Amino acid sequence: MKRFYWSDSQDVLCWINSDHRRYSQFVGFRITEILELTEPHEWRYIPSKLNVADDATKWDGLPDLSIGSRWFQGPSFLWEGEEKWPSSTKRGGQTSTELLISLLAHHTSPEPIICLQNFSSWKRLQHVMGLVLWFITNCRLKTQRRIVNLGPLNNVELRTAESRLIQIAQQDGYPEEIHTLQSTLKLTAEPAKLLSKSSTLYKLTPWIDDRGIMRMKTRINACQFATEDAKNPIILPRKHHLTTLIIHHYHNKYHHQNHETVINELRQKYQIARLRTCYNQVRRNCQRCKNERAVPINPIMADLPPGRLEAFSRPFTHTGIDYFGPIEVAVGR
């Protein structure tokens, strides 16, 4: 004899047909109780319009509770063959919340071309990204126009690689802010006014330039001798591996010295929250700085001899003399 259980909640069906241990205790315990008495294949999906249980809770007027109503007879499809029953809607074992999170993550944070965590040098990472972008561009060309031998990367290619790396870091650190700014580029209102006040970038008046990089708006655009990066610094997330590589690059550039100069040079191009704290952390993790700050450890003194600790004895009962030998002495007959 077969038995079936019907539910109009697709999230519950996803919980029953997946590993319940990855959910919270509230959900996991209840799904465990269900699975102790039933089997996952016994559960079926019923649309809300066909759910008879809703007749007792969801109705505008008086419900139909006559003898011939579906309240007593059940859904009409149960009187037909099993092939005409509603089919379950499968969504890969994801609940509605999980599906929404995965869609947002796929939309706002595309998978990076290379793994930034595998690099410990900013210049090497920039060079590798330039080669990867060149390879992708070269593959898109026709066979006759492809370049076989690539020489050193020029400034334009390195600048393009730098822009791409900064975009990846900003997408990882500020996905919601970038999505809001990109969707409001054509609006007349200030983009920063549309950001949530809880955002860390709300007071920075961020905007996206023609290279797709998010920058901070300042009040020195009229300065003639300041660079474009100084007028509108690039916003970088504080807790990101790329930010650490850039700070470490400037730290090496000034030979692990002139710390205030390094911070000033970083502020000429980048806007990093709590920059001084980030820079001090890079200094603490720098192996060369560790070696230069290292000092010899004083050895632990040995225990005093018993003669030094003897009590109730006359002075000079135990005497020690420090001398350097050999000492020549005259021995008379």
Side-chain angles (χ1 to χ4, degrees):
M1 181 182 67
K2 294 183 179 180
R3 61 179 181 177
F4 299 96
Y5 300 92
W6 301 89
S7 175
D8 60 352
S9 175
Q10 296 187 12
D11 288 348
V12 173
L13 297 178
C14 290
W15 290 337
I16 293 175
N17 289 277
S18 62
D19 187 4
H20 59 280
R21 292 174 296 181
R22 66 191 182 102
Y23 298 111
S24 62
Q25 292 183 355
F26 180 82
V27 175
F29 288 160
R30 283 150 183 81
I31 297 301
T32 302
E33 294 176 359
I34 294 175
L35 295 178
E36 288 178 354
L37 303 175
T38 63
E39 296 295 334
H41 67 271
E42 296 177 343
W43 287 86
R44 296 293 186 93
Y45 172 72
I46 179 174
S48 298
K49 294 182 179 181
L50 302 178
N51 189 6
V52 181
D54 290 344
D55 292 349
T57 56
K58 300 178 182 179
W59 44 274
D60 297 332
L62 294 176
D64 183 11
L65 300 180
S66 61
I67 299 299
S69 64
R70 68 175 190 172
W71 178 261
F72 291 99
Q73 300 295 329
S76 58
F77 64 83
L78 289 179
W79 299 93
E80 300 178 358
E82 186 175 349
E83 65 277 359
K84 296 185 179 180
W85 290 2
S87 60
S88 300
T89 304
K90 297 182 179 180
R91 295 182 303 185
Q94 290 181 321
T95 63
S96 57
T97 304
E98 294 171 336
L99 187 62
L100 179 60
I101 293 175
S102 62
L103 290 175
L104 289 176
H106 179 73
H107 177 73
T108 57
S109 300
E111 184 178 356
I113 302 176
I114 57 178
C115 182
L116 306 185
Q117 304 295 333
N118 295 336
F119 294 85
S120 59
S121 172
W122 162 243
K123 284 298 182 182
R124 181 178 294 274
L125 174 59
Q126 185 181 9
H127 184 76
V128 172
M129 176 59 76
L131 293 176
V132 171
L133 295 178
W134 172 86
F135 177 77
I136 295 175
T137 304
N138 199 37
C139 290
R140 292 175 178 175
L141 299 176
K142 294 182 179 180
T143 307
Q144 298 80 3
R145 300 180 56 187
R146 290 180 181 177
I147 303 175
V148 179
N149 296 324
L150 174 66
L153 297 176
N154 54 37
N155 293 333
V156 177
E157 294 170 338
L158 292 176
R159 185 176 177 83
T160 303
E162 178 185 7
S163 301
R164 180 57 182 150
L165 291 171
I166 293 175
Q167 290 176 6
I168 294 175
Q170 292 179 345
Q171 286 282 0
D172 294 340
Y174 311 106
E176 297 181 0
E177 289 82 352
I178 290 182
H179 177 67
T180 302
L181 294 176
Q182 289 177 346
S183 60
T184 57
L185 284 176
K186 298 181 180 180
L187 299 180
T188 57
E190 290 289 340
K193 300 283 180 68
L194 302 176
L195 296 180
S196 174
K197 291 186 178 180
S198 61
S199 174
T200 57
L201 305 182
Y202 180 77
K203 296 183 179 180
L204 299 182
T205 318
W207 60 282
I208 298 180
D209 62 3
D210 53 353
R211 295 164 54 193
I213 297 177
M214 183 171 57
R215 297 177 178 269
M216 181 186 73
K217 185 177 181 181
T218 62
R219 301 174 59 189
I220 61 173
N221 287 323
C223 183
Q224 298 180 357
F225 55 86
T227 61
E228 294 298 328
D229 291 331
K231 295 178 182 179
N232 300 286
I234 300 173
I235 300 176
L236 288 179
R238 180 169 64 93
K239 297 181 180 180
H240 198 275
H241 185 64
L242 182 72
T243 305
T244 303
L245 293 182
I246 293 177
I247 295 177
H248 193 268
H249 168 70
Y250 278 83
H251 179 59
N252 292 335
K253 181 179 179 181
Y254 287 90
H255 307 287
H256 307 262
Q257 302 295 331
N258 305 322
H259 307 304
E260 294 300 326
T261 303
V262 174
I263 293 177
N264 178 70
E265 290 298 320
L266 286 168
R267 287 175 175 169
Q268 295 296 319
K269 187 174 183 180
Y270 303 102
Q271 167 59 32
I272 305 173
R274 300 177 63 183
L275 174 59
R276 197 176 296 275
T277 303
C278 298
Y279 179 69
N280 292 334
Q281 184 177 3
V282 171
R283 287 181 57 193
R284 288 193 297 268
N285 296 331
C286 178
Q287 187 60 44
R288 177 175 172 179
C289 294
K290 289 180 181 179
N291 297 339
E292 293 178 353
R293 292 194 305 266
V295 294
I297 300 177
N298 295 327
I300 300 177
M301 301 295 292
D303 294 339
L304 296 175
R308 295 279 303 273
L309 304 175
E310 186 175 351
F312 307 105
S313 60
R314 293 179 178 276
F316 302 103
T317 301
H318 303 280
T319 304
I321 301 176
D322 293 336
Y323 68 96
F324 178 81
I327 299 176
E328 297 181 358
V329 296
V331 179
R333 292 181 179 270

